[in-house]
Amino acid sequence: MLSRVANSVYWMHRYIERAENYARFMSVNFNLALDLPPNVEQQWEPLLIATADDVLFAKYYDQPTRENVIQFMTFDKRNPNSIVSCLSNARENARTIREVISKEMWEHLNQFYLKVRETSPKQQRGQVQAQNFFTEIRNDTQLFYGIIDATITRNEAWHFGRLGRFLERADKTSRFLDVKYFTLLPEVEAVGSTLDLMIWSAVLKSVSAYNMHRQQYRALTPSSIVEFLILDKMFPRAVAHCIRQAELSLYEISGNNITHGFGNTAERTLSKLRAEIEFTETTDIFKTGLHQYLDSFQTRTNEIGAAIFETYFDLKPVEV
């Protein structure tokens, strides 16, 4: 497969996953708004800090109000990570590789992008309207993945797409947990309170993990939530599961036998991270500090992305 084609497939999936996760980020605060007591104000700045968009946001906006954050993270084309920017980039990548994706994939992605682009921010002023809009984005993304599942041969292109999707999802799940770190409680005594657990519950609901967590654990505690979202190998949005699935696809692409060890830098960096997560316990994470652990993990996923680029997408000089 041409590196140009592989790169477009990989990034098309990353952009689609990023768009869905940004819709989920907004849902964090909308879920919270339904449960918060009247004396506690909604906070939108933690979303910007957790996604590392706060510096760019400050360049164009004065205050992190609900309207400004939603505008910036959803409709602002000056933000390369906004939902409309991600869908535009995904569509452009899909357009350049029409020959390797299915007709149904292209048609749905094109309609999806046009629907979001033509949506007026003024239509999303109300909380219910905005929440419904973000739910539609999540549903359209899930439909897109369903179309891929039903119409694409399990070849190299499929594995490059899967690799991009799971790496992006692992990174964003870690950032959902980081939103909790940056959320300010009214006072220190509120840590461990009902309000604190409400915020933790909102994080679970944002990654559609609330019901699965309740099936597995008797009580809702910070420790059980961190264990479930980072170390669980079965839940599809858990970090451990995503990294393992990305690793499997990476080895399928190279044709190397995963049991015989890595064959290139990308495989080494990804397998090393997967092994470390596999032998990590919740107590290790809290001993390090949850935010510090997540920050380190995000740095590691960036390194994996760079290694994948150098291994498969970077143009190498031709030696004469």
Side-chain angles (χ1 to χ4, degrees):
M1 172 176 283
L2 292 173
S3 62
R4 174 189 64 80
V5 175
N7 186 48
S8 292
V9 173
Y10 173 84
W11 277 106
M12 176 183 68
H13 280 256
R14 287 204 73 153
Y15 280 126
I16 288 288
E17 185 67 28
R18 190 172 299 175
E20 187 204 7
N21 279 282
Y22 267 58
R24 289 176 179 274
F25 272 117
M26 255 75 79
S27 292
V28 172
N29 279 24
F30 282 119
N31 285 332
L32 265 177
L34 299 173
D35 300 322
L36 283 177
N39 62 319
V40 179
E41 292 184 5
Q42 291 186 48
Q43 296 176 47
W44 290 87
E45 191 174 15
L47 304 188
L48 298 169
I49 301 172
T51 56
D53 291 325
D54 52 319
V55 175
L56 186 61
F57 176 86
K59 187 177 175 182
Y60 299 113
Y61 297 87
D62 294 328
Q63 295 295 326
T65 62
R66 187 183 81 168
E67 290 74 19
N68 286 347
V69 172
I70 290 176
Q71 171 66 24
F72 180 71
M73 295 184 73
T74 307
F75 300 107
D76 198 332
K77 294 179 181 178
R78 296 171 298 184
N79 176 13
N81 293 323
S82 69
I83 291 173
V84 73
S85 294
C86 286
L87 291 178
S88 176
N89 290 331
R91 178 178 177 270
E92 182 58 23
N93 276 291
R95 188 188 63 78
T96 64
I97 52 168
R98 289 283 300 276
E99 71 279 6
V100 300
I101 64 174
S102 66
K103 174 175 173 283
E104 292 81 2
M105 276 178 68
W106 166 251
E107 288 177 348
H108 177 71
L109 181 52
N110 195 41
Q111 291 168 3
F112 185 11
Y113 164 69
L114 292 174
K115 181 170 73 174
V116 173
R117 190 191 70 176
E118 291 165 6
T119 299
S120 168
K122 292 180 181 178
Q123 295 174 309
Q124 312 308 322
R125 296 284 183 184
Q127 184 166 306
V128 175
Q129 292 93 329
Q131 183 72 308
N132 289 340
F133 174 67
F134 293 128
T135 300
E136 279 184 31
I137 290 173
R138 288 160 59 179
N139 290 341
D140 275 327
T141 305
Q142 298 305 313
L143 177 55
F144 183 69
Y145 290 151
I147 291 170
I148 293 171
D149 188 57
T151 63
I152 295 297
T153 304
R154 272 49 174 171
N155 53 17
E156 271 188 0
W158 186 77
H159 282 292
F160 269 115
R162 197 167 175 272
L163 173 63
R165 185 196 314 174
F166 279 111
L167 277 180
E168 185 70 29
R169 186 177 295 178
D171 176 77
K172 291 301 178 283
T173 296
S174 73
R175 294 180 189 275
F176 280 114
L177 283 165
D178 239 5
V179 169
K180 173 64 182 69
Y181 174 81
F182 292 113
T183 300
L184 301 176
L185 291 168
E187 56 272 325
V188 178
E189 291 75 19
V191 175
S193 66
T194 303
L195 175 60
D196 195 30
L197 288 177
M198 278 182 186
I199 299 172
W200 279 110
S201 297
V203 172
L204 277 177
K205 290 173 183 175
S206 300
V207 291
S208 304
Y210 186 79
N211 296 100
M212 293 302 103
H213 176 275
R214 292 308 298 263
Q215 287 182 23
Q216 197 161 322
Y217 299 90
R218 281 193 225 172
L220 196 70
T221 65
S223 179
S224 68
I225 293 169
V226 167
E227 182 176 4
F228 189 64
L229 291 184
I230 295 180
L231 304 178
D232 194 274
K233 296 176 184 176
M234 305 298 286
F235 183 66
R237 301 195 76 87
V239 167
H241 177 85
C242 292
I243 292 298
R244 175 58 174 164
Q245 295 305 310
E247 181 190 35
L248 290 172
S249 279
L250 189 59
Y251 278 84
E252 285 290 332
I253 290 165
S254 67
N256 293 328
N257 190 324
I258 197 168
T259 58
H260 294 164
F262 62 87
N264 56 51
T265 306
E267 290 174 358
R268 182 181 68 81
T269 52
L270 185 51
S271 292
K272 187 178 180 182
L273 179 58
R274 189 266 308 156
E276 287 177 15
I277 293 171
E278 205 165 277
F279 291 97
T280 296
E281 293 183 339
T282 316
T283 51
D284 300 326
I285 295 172
F286 282 108
K287 189 175 180 180
T288 303
L290 179 59
H291 171 65
Q292 288 75 13
Y293 179 86
L294 294 172
D295 200 45
S296 172
F297 173 79
Q298 288 154 18
T299 301
R300 299 281 294 279
T301 55
N302 289 338
E303 290 170 356
I304 291 166
I308 290 169
F309 172 78
E310 290 169 8
T311 304
Y312 291 105
F313 308 143
D314 196 13
L315 294 174
K316 308 292 192 303
V318 178
E319 296 182 6
V320 181

